[in-house]
Amino acid sequence: MKLNINGQEQQFDAPLSLASLLERLGMKQDRVAVELNRGIVRRELWAETKLSEGDKLEIVHFVGGGSR
């Protein structure tokens, strides 16, 4: 199954949930936000959100830090 992630096409085995995709990508689920086909997906729905051929995802990874 081909997915477009942050503008790059990648190939994965189907079926795949959003939660399992993030795990495969090595992303900590408490530090990312996900847009699927132009809609934000709430974190509590990731495990049940099934991905399909051609889906477009934007994954934003939060980085900690602060000012002095």
Side-chain angles (χ1 to χ4, degrees), residues 25-66:
L25 295 174
M27 296 184 167
K28 294 187 178 192
Q29 294 188 12
D30 63 339
R31 296 193 179 148
V32 296
V34 180
E35 179 183 279
L36 173 61
N37 299 324
R38 304 183 135 249
I40 300 293
V41 181
R42 294 191 331 246
R43 185 172 280 115
E44 59 268 17
L45 300 176
W46 290 357
E48 62 192 62
T49 300
K50 303 300 180 201
L51 300 175
S52 301
E53 178 79 24
D55 279 346
K56 294 182 180 187
L57 297 106
E58 291 293 328
I59 303 173
V60 179
H61 187 263
F62 298 105
V63 178

Side-chain angles (χ1 to χ4, degrees), residues 3-23:
L3 300 174
N4 186 301
I5 302 173
N6 295 345
Q8 296 184 342
E9 192 172 275
Q10 296 186 38
Q11 184 76 34
F12 296 92
D13 293 329
L16 189 64
S17 71
L18 182 52
S20 59
L21 172 67
L22 294 173
E23 185 177 315

